[in-house]
Amino acid sequence: MNLKKLIPALVTGLQDAGFAENPTKIQSASIPQIKSGGDLYLIAPEKSGKTIAIAAGVIQRLKDEFEVAPRAIIMVSSKEKAFALEEQLEALAKHTYLRVFTVFDEGVLQYQRDLIYEGIDILIGTPKRLNQLLKVNGVRLTQVKMLVVDDLNDYRLEQYSLIYHLAESIPKSQFIMVANSWNKNFEKFNDRIMKSPKMIKTD
């Protein structure tokens, strides 16, 4: 990871969290590619540093707060993983003004919708709740420039429709699919939403 190519606020956040000195393979390989704006598959084993790579890549692209509509949406498979990612993002972004908010199935839909409309930059959420918010116009998608789907191995094939619905509702975005291992079913995204995606795969 070339720290000279990252925004200073992110570098400081990485240093404070102890991730700047010895980046993992997936972090070194993926953060520059996330920055480029192209569609990506990130494939690496559990505990290889994918969460840090996602968080750092999103912060690097967004840089600072901007207006009120979210510019990055990160879909995760469970409430617990959503809040773990939120904690990591807030730690790395603490020297920026980026606003992070998490939605989940058990939360009050109207309350979550109202907080989103007050202004956020990064929205983290479970598949069902994100799609529920779309149905009630709870998320403005006009400014979204990144959609990240984490934990892709945790999704059943029939749940792909939730990903499609969200992705196809966004006017223009970078799509990043993140998984522990490759599954041939992932190729379905190439036909529906991905545009000439690159694959970054590490052991």
Side-chain angles (χ1 to χ4, degrees), residues 81-93:
K81 290 185 177 181
F83 279 108
L85 177 58
E86 179 186 56
E87 182 179 358
Q88 196 65 78
L89 267 164
E90 288 183 339
L92 297 186

Side-chain angles (χ1 to χ4, degrees), residues 109-121:
L109 184 66
Q110 185 62 43
Y111 172 75
Q112 293 178 351
R113 180 182 184 275
D114 290 346
L115 286 180
I116 291 169
Y117 267 78
E118 287 181 9
I120 61 170
D121 299 290

Side-chain angles (χ1 to χ4, degrees), residues 170-182:
I170 299 172
K172 185 178 181 181
S173 177
Q174 175 186 30
F175 298 112
I176 302 173
M177 304 292 169
V178 186
N180 295 335
S181 60
W182 178 257

